[in-house]
Amino acid sequence: MSLFKKIALVGGFGDLGKHVTAAILAEGDRFDLTLITRKSGQIQAPAGAKVIELDDYSDSDELIEALTGQDVLMSFHNTAAAPGGMFPRSSSSSRST
């Protein structure tokens, strides 16, 4: 028996994420899979998965709603592909070299 049941996966339609999605779905009813993606209107939910399309990954209210009730979050999100990235840094953050 698994310690978790509900998996949220960001980037589940990408080059790597699609393979992880397929592997989780191959487990049958063992997991409840929710795929979180950017809104495009062209996403087809694979059989056995729920899809949540977000306007913007930086909208914390949308993320909280999408992740509420999930046991695990897996991210295969390509931050280079999204304006601002998934978790944009504030303008006051600094990076040491």
Side-chain angles (χ1 to χ4, degrees):
M1 180 175 174
S2 177
L3 297 175
F4 54 89
K5 173 81 173 165
K6 297 180 179 184
I7 300 173
L9 200 152
V10 176
F13 296 99
D15 291 336
L16 178 59
K18 65 184 174 189
H19 299 290
V20 176
T21 296
I24 293 170
L25 291 174
E27 293 291 319
D29 291 338
R30 183 173 175 196
F31 301 108
D32 295 333
L33 180 62
T34 300
L35 300 169
I36 300 172
T37 186
R38 291 183 299 262
K39 239 178 221 179
S40 71
Q42 299 175 354
I43 298 299
Q44 296 281 331
K50 174 182 175 184
V51 174
I52 297 177
E53 292 183 286
L54 303 180
D55 288 322
D56 184 356
Y57 285 147
S58 66
D59 184 330
S60 60
D61 291 333
E62 278 193 326
L63 283 170
I64 289 168
E65 185 176 337
L67 295 173
T68 297
Q70 299 294 329
D71 299 318
V72 173
L73 169 62
M74 299 174 77
S75 179
F76 297 92
H77 169 67
N78 180 355
T79 57
M86 186 168 182
F87 303 105
R89 296 176 191 207
S90 69
S91 58
S92 62
S93 67
S94 62
R95 183 181 235 176
S96 58
T97 56

